[in-house]
PDB file of all heavy atoms in Angstrom:
ATOM      1  N   LEU A   1      77.019 136.917 128.227  1.00 94.00           N
ATOM      2  CA  LEU A   1      76.786 137.972 127.244  1.00 94.00           C
ATOM      3  C   LEU A   1      76.574 137.374 125.857  1.00 94.00           C
ATOM      4  O   LEU A   1      75.653 137.760 125.128  1.00 94.00           O
ATOM      5  CB  LEU A   1      77.962 138.948 127.232  1.00 94.00           C
ATOM      6  CG  LEU A   1      77.811 140.170 126.314  1.00 94.00           C
ATOM      7  CD1 LEU A   1      76.581 140.985 126.708  1.00 94.00           C
ATOM      8  CD2 LEU A   1      79.064 141.034 126.361  1.00 94.00           C
ATOM      9  N   PHE A   2      77.407 136.414 125.498  1.00 96.00           N
ATOM     10  CA  PHE A   2      77.240 135.740 124.210  1.00 96.00           C
ATOM     11  C   PHE A   2      75.916 134.977 124.164  1.00 96.00           C
ATOM     12  O   PHE A   2      75.226 134.966 123.138  1.00 96.00           O
ATOM     13  CB  PHE A   2      78.401 134.779 123.950  1.00 96.00           C
ATOM     14  CG  PHE A   2      78.199 133.911 122.744  1.00 96.00           C
ATOM     15  CD1 PHE A   2      78.236 134.460 121.467  1.00 96.00           C
ATOM     16  CD2 PHE A   2      77.931 132.559 122.887  1.00 96.00           C
ATOM     17  CE1 PHE A   2      78.023 133.662 120.349  1.00 96.00           C
ATOM     18  CE2 PHE A   2      77.717 131.754 121.779  1.00 96.00           C
ATOM     19  CZ  PHE A   2      77.773 132.310 120.510  1.00 96.00           C
ATOM     20  N   CYS A   3      75.536 134.357 125.282  1.00 97.00           N
ATOM     21  CA  CYS A   3      74.255 133.640 125.334  1.00 97.00           C
ATOM     22  C   CYS A   3      73.092 134.601 125.084  1.00 97.00           C
ATOM     23  O   CYS A   3      72.117 134.250 124.413  1.00 97.00           O
ATOM     24  CB  CYS A   3      74.096 132.955 126.693  1.00 97.00           C
ATOM     25  SG  CYS A   3      75.157 131.506 126.916  1.00 97.00           S
ATOM     26  N   GLY A   4      73.204 135.813 125.619  1.00 97.00           N
ATOM     27  CA  GLY A   4      72.167 136.812 125.374  1.00 97.00           C
ATOM     28  C   GLY A   4      72.093 137.188 123.903  1.00 97.00           C
ATOM     29  O   GLY A   4      71.002 137.399 123.361  1.00 97.00           O
ATOM     30  N   MET A   5      73.237 137.275 123.247  1.00 96.00           N
ATOM     31  CA  MET A   5      73.251 137.581 121.815  1.00 96.00           C
ATOM     32  C   MET A   5      72.568 136.473 121.019  1.00 96.00           C
ATOM     33  O   MET A   5      71.826 136.740 120.070  1.00 96.00           O
ATOM     34  CB  MET A   5      74.690 137.758 121.341  1.00 96.00           C
ATOM     35  CG  MET A   5      75.405 138.953 121.929  1.00 96.00           C
ATOM     36  SD  MET A   5      77.144 139.017 121.396  1.00 96.00           S
ATOM     37  CE  MET A   5      77.729 140.439 122.308  1.00 96.00           C
ATOM     38  N   ALA A   6      72.833 135.234 121.409  1.00 98.00           N
ATOM     39  CA  ALA A   6      72.204 134.107 120.720  1.00 98.00           C
ATOM     40  C   ALA A   6      70.684 134.154 120.897  1.00 98.00           C
ATOM     41  O   ALA A   6      69.928 133.922 119.942  1.00 98.00           O
ATOM     42  CB  ALA A   6      72.762 132.792 121.244  1.00 98.00           C
ATOM     43  N   LEU A   7      70.230 134.464 122.110  1.00 98.00           N
ATOM     44  CA  LEU A   7      68.790 134.543 122.352  1.00 98.00           C
ATOM     45  C   LEU A   7      68.162 135.633 121.493  1.00 98.00           C
ATOM     46  O   LEU A   7      67.068 135.458 120.934  1.00 98.00           O
ATOM     47  CB  LEU A   7      68.517 134.817 123.828  1.00 98.00           C
ATOM     48  CG  LEU A   7      67.040 134.931 124.210  1.00 98.00           C
ATOM     49  CD1 LEU A   7      66.313 133.612 123.941  1.00 98.00           C
ATOM     50  CD2 LEU A   7      66.874 135.337 125.670  1.00 98.00           C
ATOM     51  N   GLN A   8      68.848 136.765 121.360  1.00 97.00           N
ATOM     52  CA  GLN A   8      68.319 137.834 120.521  1.00 97.00           C
ATOM     53  C   GLN A   8      68.215 137.391 119.069  1.00 97.00           C
ATOM     54  O   GLN A   8      67.272 137.767 118.358  1.00 97.00           O
ATOM     55  CB  GLN A   8      69.211 139.071 120.644  1.00 97.00           C
ATOM     56  CG  GLN A   8      69.141 139.727 122.018  1.00 97.00           C
ATOM     57  CD  GLN A   8      70.113 140.885 122.157  1.00 97.00           C
ATOM     58  OE1 GLN A   8      70.082 141.811 121.371  1.00 97.00           O
ATOM     59  NE2 GLN A   8      70.984 140.824 123.147  1.00 97.00           N
ATOM     60  N   ALA A   9      69.159 136.570 118.621  1.00 98.00           N
ATOM     61  CA  ALA A   9      69.104 136.068 117.247  1.00 98.00           C
ATOM     62  C   ALA A   9      67.890 135.164 117.046  1.00 98.00           C
ATOM     63  O   ALA A   9      67.182 135.270 116.032  1.00 98.00           O
ATOM     64  CB  ALA A   9      70.389 135.305 116.917  1.00 98.00           C
ATOM     65  N   TYR A  10      67.607 134.304 118.012  1.00 98.00           N
ATOM     66  CA  TYR A  10      66.430 133.425 117.911  1.00 98.00           C
ATOM     67  C   TYR A  10      65.140 134.244 117.893  1.00 98.00           C
ATOM     68  O   TYR A  10      64.224 133.959 117.113  1.00 98.00           O
ATOM     69  CB  TYR A  10      66.404 132.444 119.081  1.00 98.00           C
ATOM     70  CG  TYR A  10      67.376 131.296 118.959  1.00 98.00           C
ATOM     71  CD1 TYR A  10      68.397 131.112 119.887  1.00 98.00           C
ATOM     72  CD2 TYR A  10      67.261 130.371 117.922  1.00 98.00           C
ATOM     73  CE1 TYR A  10      69.295 130.052 119.778  1.00 98.00           C
ATOM     74  CE2 TYR A  10      68.158 129.318 117.808  1.00 98.00           C
ATOM     75  CZ  TYR A  10      69.170 129.169 118.743  1.00 98.00           C
ATOM     76  OH  TYR A  10      70.043 128.111 118.629  1.00 98.00           O
ATOM     77  N   CYS A  11      65.071 135.243 118.741  1.00 98.00           N
ATOM     78  CA  CYS A  11      63.862 136.076 118.784  1.00 98.00           C
ATOM     79  C   CYS A  11      63.674 136.843 117.482  1.00 98.00           C
ATOM     80  O   CYS A  11      62.548 137.015 117.000  1.00 98.00           O
ATOM     81  CB  CYS A  11      63.930 137.045 119.965  1.00 98.00           C
ATOM     82  SG  CYS A  11      63.782 136.251 121.577  1.00 98.00           S
ATOM     83  N   GLY A  12      64.779 137.299 116.895  1.00 97.00           N
ATOM     84  CA  GLY A  12      64.699 137.961 115.603  1.00 97.00           C
ATOM     85  C   GLY A  12      64.156 137.031 114.532  1.00 97.00           C
ATOM     86  O   GLY A  12      63.361 137.447 113.670  1.00 97.00           O
ATOM     87  N   LEU A  13      64.552 135.772 114.578  1.00 98.00           N
ATOM     88  CA  LEU A  13      64.045 134.791 113.612  1.00 98.00           C
ATOM     89  C   LEU A  13      62.546 134.576 113.784  1.00 98.00           C
ATOM     90  O   LEU A  13      61.812 134.421 112.799  1.00 98.00           O
ATOM     91  CB  LEU A  13      64.786 133.459 113.783  1.00 98.00           C
ATOM     92  CG  LEU A  13      66.251 133.429 113.343  1.00 98.00           C
ATOM     93  CD1 LEU A  13      66.848 132.051 113.595  1.00 98.00           C
ATOM     94  CD2 LEU A  13      66.399 133.800 111.878  1.00 98.00           C
ATOM     95  N   ILE A  14      62.084 134.581 115.023  1.00 98.00           N
ATOM     96  CA  ILE A  14      60.654 134.408 115.278  1.00 98.00           C
ATOM     97  C   ILE A  14      59.859 135.561 114.674  1.00 98.00           C
ATOM     98  O   ILE A  14      58.803 135.360 114.049  1.00 98.00           O
ATOM     99  CB  ILE A  14      60.387 134.313 116.796  1.00 98.00           C
ATOM    100  CG1 ILE A  14      60.882 132.969 117.339  1.00 98.00           C
ATOM    101  CG2 ILE A  14      58.898 134.493 117.106  1.00 98.00           C
ATOM    102  CD1 ILE A  14      60.133 131.758 116.798  1.00 98.00           C
ATOM    103  N   GLU A  15      60.345 136.773 114.830  1.00 97.00           N
ATOM    104  CA  GLU A  15      59.621 137.927 114.297  1.00 97.00           C
ATOM    105  C   GLU A  15      59.613 137.919 112.773  1.00 97.00           C
ATOM    106  O   GLU A  15      58.597 138.239 112.144  1.00 97.00           O
ATOM    107  CB  GLU A  15      60.227 139.213 114.857  1.00 97.00           C
ATOM    108  CG  GLU A  15      59.984 139.360 116.352  1.00 97.00           C
ATOM    109  CD  GLU A  15      60.616 140.604 116.950  1.00 97.00           C
ATOM    110  OE1 GLU A  15      61.385 141.285 116.223  1.00 97.00           O
ATOM    111  OE2 GLU A  15      60.348 140.891 118.132  1.00 97.00           O
ATOM    112  N   GLU A  16      60.728 137.534 112.155  1.00 97.00           N
ATOM    113  CA  GLU A  16      60.755 137.436 110.692  1.00 97.00           C
ATOM    114  C   GLU A  16      59.862 136.282 110.220  1.00 97.00           C
ATOM    115  O   GLU A  16      59.213 136.377 109.177  1.00 97.00           O
ATOM    116  CB  GLU A  16      62.183 137.242 110.200  1.00 97.00           C
ATOM    117  CG  GLU A  16      62.311 137.045 108.695  1.00 97.00           C
ATOM    118  CD  GLU A  16      61.700 138.177 107.869  1.00 97.00           C
ATOM    119  OE1 GLU A  16      61.589 139.315 108.371  1.00 97.00           O
ATOM    120  OE2 GLU A  16      61.329 137.918 106.712  1.00 97.00           O
ATOM    121  N   HIS A  17      59.803 135.224 111.003  1.00 98.00           N
ATOM    122  CA  HIS A  17      58.919 134.101 110.657  1.00 98.00           C
ATOM    123  C   HIS A  17      57.462 134.547 110.666  1.00 98.00           C
ATOM    124  O   HIS A  17      56.685 134.175 109.787  1.00 98.00           O
ATOM    125  CB  HIS A  17      59.133 132.970 111.658  1.00 98.00           C
ATOM    126  CG  HIS A  17      58.344 131.732 111.358  1.00 98.00           C
ATOM    127  ND1 HIS A  17      58.338 131.125 110.118  1.00 98.00           N
ATOM    128  CD2 HIS A  17      57.520 130.981 112.139  1.00 98.00           C
ATOM    129  CE1 HIS A  17      57.567 130.051 110.141  1.00 98.00           C
ATOM    130  NE2 HIS A  17      57.055 129.958 111.357  1.00 98.00           N
ATOM    131  N   ALA A  18      57.103 135.357 111.653  1.00 98.00           N
ATOM    132  CA  ALA A  18      55.737 135.879 111.710  1.00 98.00           C
ATOM    133  C   ALA A  18      55.431 136.705 110.465  1.00 98.00           C
ATOM    134  O   ALA A  18      54.340 136.610 109.890  1.00 98.00           O
ATOM    135  CB  ALA A  18      55.541 136.715 112.974  1.00 98.00           C
ATOM    136  N   ARG A  19      56.398 137.521 110.038  1.00 97.00           N
ATOM    137  CA  ARG A  19      56.195 138.296 108.814  1.00 97.00           C
ATOM    138  C   ARG A  19      56.059 137.382 107.596  1.00 97.00           C
ATOM    139  O   ARG A  19      55.230 137.621 106.710  1.00 97.00           O
ATOM    140  CB  ARG A  19      57.352 139.288 108.627  1.00 97.00           C
ATOM    141  CG  ARG A  19      57.361 140.433 109.637  1.00 97.00           C
ATOM    142  CD  ARG A  19      58.401 141.477 109.313  1.00 97.00           C
ATOM    143  NE  ARG A  19      59.749 141.035 109.633  1.00 97.00           N
ATOM    144  CZ  ARG A  19      60.327 141.228 110.820  1.00 97.00           C
ATOM    145  NH1 ARG A  19      59.681 141.826 111.810  1.00 97.00           N
ATOM    146  NH2 ARG A  19      61.567 140.815 111.031  1.00 97.00           N
ATOM    147  N   ASP A  20      56.865 136.344 107.559  1.00 97.00           N
ATOM    148  CA  ASP A  20      56.793 135.379 106.454  1.00 97.00           C
ATOM    149  C   ASP A  20      55.434 134.690 106.425  1.00 97.00           C
ATOM    150  O   ASP A  20      54.835 134.487 105.350  1.00 97.00           O
ATOM    151  CB  ASP A  20      57.913 134.343 106.625  1.00 97.00           C
ATOM    152  CG  ASP A  20      58.209 133.580 105.345  1.00 97.00           C
ATOM    153  OD1 ASP A  20      57.915 134.101 104.247  1.00 97.00           O
ATOM    154  OD2 ASP A  20      58.748 132.461 105.442  1.00 97.00           O
ATOM    155  N   ILE A  21      54.932 134.346 107.598  1.00 97.00           N
ATOM    156  CA  ILE A  21      53.607 133.719 107.699  1.00 97.00           C
ATOM    157  C   ILE A  21      52.537 134.670 107.155  1.00 97.00           C
ATOM    158  O   ILE A  21      51.648 134.263 106.379  1.00 97.00           O
ATOM    159  CB  ILE A  21      53.301 133.351 109.167  1.00 97.00           C
ATOM    160  CG1 ILE A  21      54.217 132.226 109.654  1.00 97.00           C
ATOM    161  CG2 ILE A  21      51.826 132.980 109.346  1.00 97.00           C
ATOM    162  CD1 ILE A  21      54.021 130.895 108.965  1.00 97.00           C
ATOM    163  N   LEU A  22      52.608 135.924 107.544  1.00 97.00           N
ATOM    164  CA  LEU A  22      51.617 136.901 107.085  1.00 97.00           C
ATOM    165  C   LEU A  22      51.680 137.088 105.573  1.00 97.00           C
ATOM    166  O   LEU A  22      50.642 137.229 104.908  1.00 97.00           O
ATOM    167  CB  LEU A  22      51.830 138.233 107.798  1.00 97.00           C
ATOM    168  CG  LEU A  22      51.519 138.238 109.300  1.00 97.00           C
ATOM    169  CD1 LEU A  22      51.886 139.583 109.916  1.00 97.00           C
ATOM    170  CD2 LEU A  22      50.057 137.924 109.563  1.00 97.00           C
ATOM    171  N   ARG A  23      52.881 137.068 105.021  1.00 97.00           N
ATOM    172  CA  ARG A  23      53.008 137.193 103.562  1.00 97.00           C
ATOM    173  C   ARG A  23      52.341 136.014 102.861  1.00 97.00           C
ATOM    174  O   ARG A  23      51.655 136.175 101.843  1.00 97.00           O
ATOM    175  CB  ARG A  23      54.493 137.269 103.172  1.00 97.00           C
ATOM    176  CG  ARG A  23      55.202 138.535 103.640  1.00 97.00           C
ATOM    177  CD  ARG A  23      56.634 138.598 103.120  1.00 97.00           C
ATOM    178  NE  ARG A  23      57.351 139.705 103.735  1.00 97.00           N
ATOM    179  CZ  ARG A  23      58.255 139.559 104.708  1.00 97.00           C
ATOM    180  NH1 ARG A  23      58.559 138.355 105.162  1.00 97.00           N
ATOM    181  NH2 ARG A  23      58.863 140.624 105.219  1.00 97.00           N
ATOM    182  N   GLU A  24      52.554 134.822 103.381  1.00 96.00           N
ATOM    183  CA  GLU A  24      51.966 133.627 102.780  1.00 96.00           C
ATOM    184  C   GLU A  24      50.442 133.642 102.896  1.00 96.00           C
ATOM    185  O   GLU A  24      49.727 133.300 101.948  1.00 96.00           O
ATOM    186  CB  GLU A  24      52.526 132.370 103.444  1.00 96.00           C
ATOM    187  CG  GLU A  24      53.986 132.089 103.132  1.00 96.00           C
ATOM    188  CD  GLU A  24      54.202 131.668 101.693  1.00 96.00           C
ATOM    189  OE1 GLU A  24      53.235 131.226 101.034  1.00 96.00           O
ATOM    190  OE2 GLU A  24      55.345 131.786 101.206  1.00 96.00           O
ATOM    191  N   LEU A  25      49.956 134.044 104.055  1.00 97.00           N
ATOM    192  CA  LEU A  25      48.506 134.087 104.253  1.00 97.00           C
ATOM    193  C   LEU A  25      47.862 135.135 103.346  1.00 97.00           C
ATOM    194  O   LEU A  25      46.802 134.900 102.750  1.00 97.00           O
ATOM    195  CB  LEU A  25      48.179 134.374 105.720  1.00 97.00           C
ATOM    196  CG  LEU A  25      48.579 133.285 106.714  1.00 97.00           C
ATOM    197  CD1 LEU A  25      48.360 133.775 108.146  1.00 97.00           C
ATOM    198  CD2 LEU A  25      47.797 131.997 106.466  1.00 97.00           C
ATOM    199  N   ASP A  26      48.515 136.288 103.248  1.00 96.00           N
ATOM    200  CA  ASP A  26      47.990 137.332 102.365  1.00 96.00           C
ATOM    201  C   ASP A  26      47.981 136.856 100.909  1.00 96.00           C
ATOM    202  O   ASP A  26      47.037 137.150 100.158  1.00 96.00           O
ATOM    203  CB  ASP A  26      48.846 138.589 102.504  1.00 96.00           C
ATOM    204  CG  ASP A  26      48.388 139.722 101.594  1.00 96.00           C
ATOM    205  OD1 ASP A  26      47.272 140.236 101.812  1.00 96.00           O
ATOM    206  OD2 ASP A  26      49.143 140.083 100.677  1.00 96.00           O
ATOM    207  N   ARG A  27      48.975 136.099 100.527  1.00 95.00           N
ATOM    208  CA  ARG A  27      49.077 135.607  99.148  1.00 95.00           C
ATOM    209  C   ARG A  27      47.913 134.705  98.764  1.00 95.00           C
ATOM    210  O   ARG A  27      47.461 134.698  97.617  1.00 95.00           O
ATOM    211  CB  ARG A  27      50.403 134.852  98.970  1.00 95.00           C
ATOM    212  CG  ARG A  27      50.655 134.327  97.563  1.00 95.00           C
ATOM    213  CD  ARG A  27      51.996 133.614  97.479  1.00 95.00           C
ATOM    214  NE  ARG A  27      52.054 132.456  98.356  1.00 95.00           N
ATOM    215  CZ  ARG A  27      51.567 131.262  98.042  1.00 95.00           C
ATOM    216  NH1 ARG A  27      50.957 131.068  96.879  1.00 95.00           N
ATOM    217  NH2 ARG A  27      51.677 130.247  98.887  1.00 95.00           N
ATOM    218  N   ILE A  28      47.400 133.941  99.751  1.00 95.00           N
ATOM    219  CA  ILE A  28      46.291 133.020  99.434  1.00 95.00           C
ATOM    220  C   ILE A  28      44.936 133.615  99.817  1.00 95.00           C
ATOM    221  O   ILE A  28      43.923 132.920  99.836  1.00 95.00           O
ATOM    222  CB  ILE A  28      46.476 131.660 100.128  1.00 95.00           C
ATOM    223  CG1 ILE A  28      46.474 131.801 101.662  1.00 95.00           C
ATOM    224  CG2 ILE A  28      47.754 130.976  99.649  1.00 95.00           C
ATOM    225  CD1 ILE A  28      46.499 130.472 102.407  1.00 95.00           C
ATOM    226  N   GLY A  29      44.930 134.919 100.123  1.00 95.00           N
ATOM    227  CA  GLY A  29      43.660 135.601 100.334  1.00 95.00           C
ATOM    228  C   GLY A  29      43.136 135.618 101.750  1.00 95.00           C
ATOM    229  O   GLY A  29      41.999 136.053 101.986  1.00 95.00           O
ATOM    230  N   VAL A  30      43.942 135.183 102.723  1.00 96.00           N
ATOM    231  CA  VAL A  30      43.520 135.247 104.118  1.00 96.00           C
ATOM    232  C   VAL A  30      43.660 136.686 104.604  1.00 96.00           C
ATOM    233  O   VAL A  30      44.684 137.337 104.375  1.00 96.00           O
ATOM    234  CB  VAL A  30      44.366 134.307 104.999  1.00 96.00           C
ATOM    235  CG1 VAL A  30      43.989 134.459 106.467  1.00 96.00           C
ATOM    236  CG2 VAL A  30      44.208 132.865 104.550  1.00 96.00           C
ATOM    237  N   GLN A  31      42.642 137.200 105.281  1.00 94.00           N
ATOM    238  CA  GLN A  31      42.663 138.575 105.753  1.00 94.00           C
ATOM    239  C   GLN A  31      43.572 138.703 106.973  1.00 94.00           C
ATOM    240  O   GLN A  31      43.323 138.091 108.009  1.00 94.00           O
ATOM    241  CB  GLN A  31      41.245 139.029 106.111  1.00 94.00           C
ATOM    242  CG  GLN A  31      40.334 139.168 104.899  1.00 94.00           C
ATOM    243  CD  GLN A  31      40.830 140.233 103.932  1.00 94.00           C
ATOM    244  OE1 GLN A  31      41.216 141.333 104.349  1.00 94.00           O
ATOM    245  NE2 GLN A  31      40.835 139.915 102.646  1.00 94.00           N
ATOM    246  N   VAL A  32      44.626 139.492 106.822  1.00 96.00           N
ATOM    247  CA  VAL A  32      45.577 139.697 107.920  1.00 96.00           C
ATOM    248  C   VAL A  32      45.620 141.161 108.353  1.00 96.00           C
ATOM    249  O   VAL A  32      46.445 141.541 109.194  1.00 96.00           O
ATOM    250  CB  VAL A  32      46.997 139.240 107.499  1.00 96.00           C
ATOM    251  CG1 VAL A  32      47.016 137.766 107.159  1.00 96.00           C
ATOM    252  CG2 VAL A  32      47.506 140.069 106.316  1.00 96.00           C
ATOM    253  N   SER A  33      44.743 141.983 107.810  1.00 92.00           N
ATOM    254  CA  SER A  33      44.799 143.430 108.049  1.00 92.00           C
ATOM    255  C   SER A  33      44.613 143.807 109.513  1.00 92.00           C
ATOM    256  O   SER A  33      45.117 144.841 109.963  1.00 92.00           O
ATOM    257  CB  SER A  33      43.758 144.148 107.195  1.00 92.00           C
ATOM    258  OG  SER A  33      42.456 143.654 107.475  1.00 92.00           O
ATOM    259  N   SER A  34      43.909 142.978 110.284  1.00 89.00           N
ATOM    260  CA  SER A  34      43.652 143.313 111.685  1.00 89.00           C
ATOM    261  C   SER A  34      44.933 143.332 112.514  1.00 89.00           C
ATOM    262  O   SER A  34      44.960 143.911 113.605  1.00 89.00           O
ATOM    263  CB  SER A  34      42.660 142.327 112.291  1.00 89.00           C
ATOM    264  OG  SER A  34      43.199 141.008 112.297  1.00 89.00           O
ATOM    265  N   LEU A  35      45.998 142.719 112.031  1.00 93.00           N
ATOM    266  CA  LEU A  35      47.268 142.694 112.747  1.00 93.00           C
ATOM    267  C   LEU A  35      48.195 143.816 112.354  1.00 93.00           C
ATOM    268  O   LEU A  35      49.213 144.037 113.014  1.00 93.00           O
ATOM    269  CB  LEU A  35      48.000 141.362 112.495  1.00 93.00           C
ATOM    270  CG  LEU A  35      47.598 140.158 113.342  1.00 93.00           C
ATOM    271  CD1 LEU A  35      46.322 139.546 112.822  1.00 93.00           C
ATOM    272  CD2 LEU A  35      48.705 139.119 113.340  1.00 93.00           C
ATOM    273  N   LEU A  36      47.872 144.548 111.280  1.00 95.00           N
ATOM    274  CA  LEU A  36      48.839 145.440 110.666  1.00 95.00           C
ATOM    275  C   LEU A  36      48.552 146.909 110.941  1.00 95.00           C
ATOM    276  O   LEU A  36      47.400 147.303 111.139  1.00 95.00           O
ATOM    277  CB  LEU A  36      48.865 145.190 109.160  1.00 95.00           C
ATOM    278  CG  LEU A  36      49.099 143.729 108.740  1.00 95.00           C
ATOM    279  CD1 LEU A  36      49.055 143.600 107.231  1.00 95.00           C
ATOM    280  CD2 LEU A  36      50.419 143.194 109.292  1.00 95.00           C
ATOM    281  N   ASP A  37      49.606 147.692 110.932  1.00 92.00           N
ATOM    282  CA  ASP A  37      49.513 149.134 111.154  1.00 92.00           C
ATOM    283  C   ASP A  37      49.095 149.807 109.853  1.00 92.00           C
ATOM    284  O   ASP A  37      49.831 149.797 108.865  1.00 92.00           O
ATOM    285  CB  ASP A  37      50.873 149.665 111.614  1.00 92.00           C
ATOM    286  CG  ASP A  37      50.808 151.099 112.104  1.00 92.00           C
ATOM    287  OD1 ASP A  37      49.887 151.827 111.695  1.00 92.00           O
ATOM    288  OD2 ASP A  37      51.692 151.489 112.899  1.00 92.00           O
ATOM    289  N   THR A  38      47.924 150.406 109.851  1.00 92.00           N
ATOM    290  CA  THR A  38      47.363 150.965 108.624  1.00 92.00           C
ATOM    291  C   THR A  38      47.987 152.298 108.208  1.00 92.00           C
ATOM    292  O   THR A  38      47.607 152.862 107.180  1.00 92.00           O
ATOM    293  CB  THR A  38      45.843 151.160 108.782  1.00 92.00           C
ATOM    294  OG1 THR A  38      45.599 151.996 109.920  1.00 92.00           O
ATOM    295  CG2 THR A  38      45.148 149.827 108.969  1.00 92.00           C
ATOM    296  N   LYS A  39      48.937 152.801 108.968  1.00 93.00           N
ATOM    297  CA  LYS A  39      49.545 154.073 108.565  1.00 93.00           C
ATOM    298  C   LYS A  39      50.472 153.901 107.360  1.00 93.00           C
ATOM    299  O   LYS A  39      50.871 154.890 106.737  1.00 93.00           O
ATOM    300  CB  LYS A  39      50.306 154.706 109.723  1.00 93.00           C
ATOM    301  CG  LYS A  39      51.617 154.030 110.086  1.00 93.00           C
ATOM    302  CD  LYS A  39      52.289 154.774 111.241  1.00 93.00           C
ATOM    303  CE  LYS A  39      53.618 154.139 111.639  1.00 93.00           C
ATOM    304  NZ  LYS A  39      54.249 154.824 112.781  1.00 93.00           N
ATOM    305  N   TYR A  40      50.805 152.656 107.036  1.00 94.00           N
ATOM    306  CA  TYR A  40      51.616 152.398 105.849  1.00 94.00           C
ATOM    307  C   TYR A  40      50.700 152.117 104.661  1.00 94.00           C
ATOM    308  O   TYR A  40      49.670 151.453 104.804  1.00 94.00           O
ATOM    309  CB  TYR A  40      52.569 151.231 106.102  1.00 94.00           C
ATOM    310  CG  TYR A  40      53.521 151.501 107.251  1.00 94.00           C
ATOM    311  CD1 TYR A  40      53.276 150.964 108.516  1.00 94.00           C
ATOM    312  CD2 TYR A  40      54.624 152.322 107.081  1.00 94.00           C
ATOM    313  CE1 TYR A  40      54.121 151.238 109.582  1.00 94.00           C
ATOM    314  CE2 TYR A  40      55.480 152.596 108.148  1.00 94.00           C
ATOM    315  CZ  TYR A  40      55.218 152.050 109.385  1.00 94.00           C
ATOM    316  OH  TYR A  40      56.059 152.320 110.445  1.00 94.00           O
ATOM    317  N   PRO A  41      51.062 152.588 103.459  1.00 94.00           N
ATOM    318  CA  PRO A  41      50.111 152.557 102.334  1.00 94.00           C
ATOM    319  C   PRO A  41      49.827 151.186 101.743  1.00 94.00           C
ATOM    320  O   PRO A  41      48.742 150.968 101.206  1.00 94.00           O
ATOM    321  CB  PRO A  41      50.788 153.471 101.290  1.00 94.00           C
ATOM    322  CG  PRO A  41      52.237 153.453 101.647  1.00 94.00           C
ATOM    323  CD  PRO A  41      52.287 153.334 103.138  1.00 94.00           C
ATOM    324  N   THR A  42      50.758 150.251 101.815  1.00 95.00           N
ATOM    325  CA  THR A  42      50.537 148.945 101.195  1.00 95.00           C
ATOM    326  C   THR A  42      50.629 147.832 102.229  1.00 95.00           C
ATOM    327  O   THR A  42      51.256 147.993 103.282  1.00 95.00           O
ATOM    328  CB  THR A  42      51.573 148.668 100.092  1.00 95.00           C
ATOM    329  OG1 THR A  42      52.878 148.518 100.705  1.00 95.00           O
ATOM    330  CG2 THR A  42      51.616 149.818  99.078  1.00 95.00           C
TER     331      THR A  42
END
């Protein structure tokens, strides 16, 4: 059970890393809109 909790923590880090990557790419002008849900305004 604890091992499962640890795995969930690693997976959570991967998803936040993906968001961090998208923020960095957007900052330097790389188009990332094709990955994003357009129902949000910004």
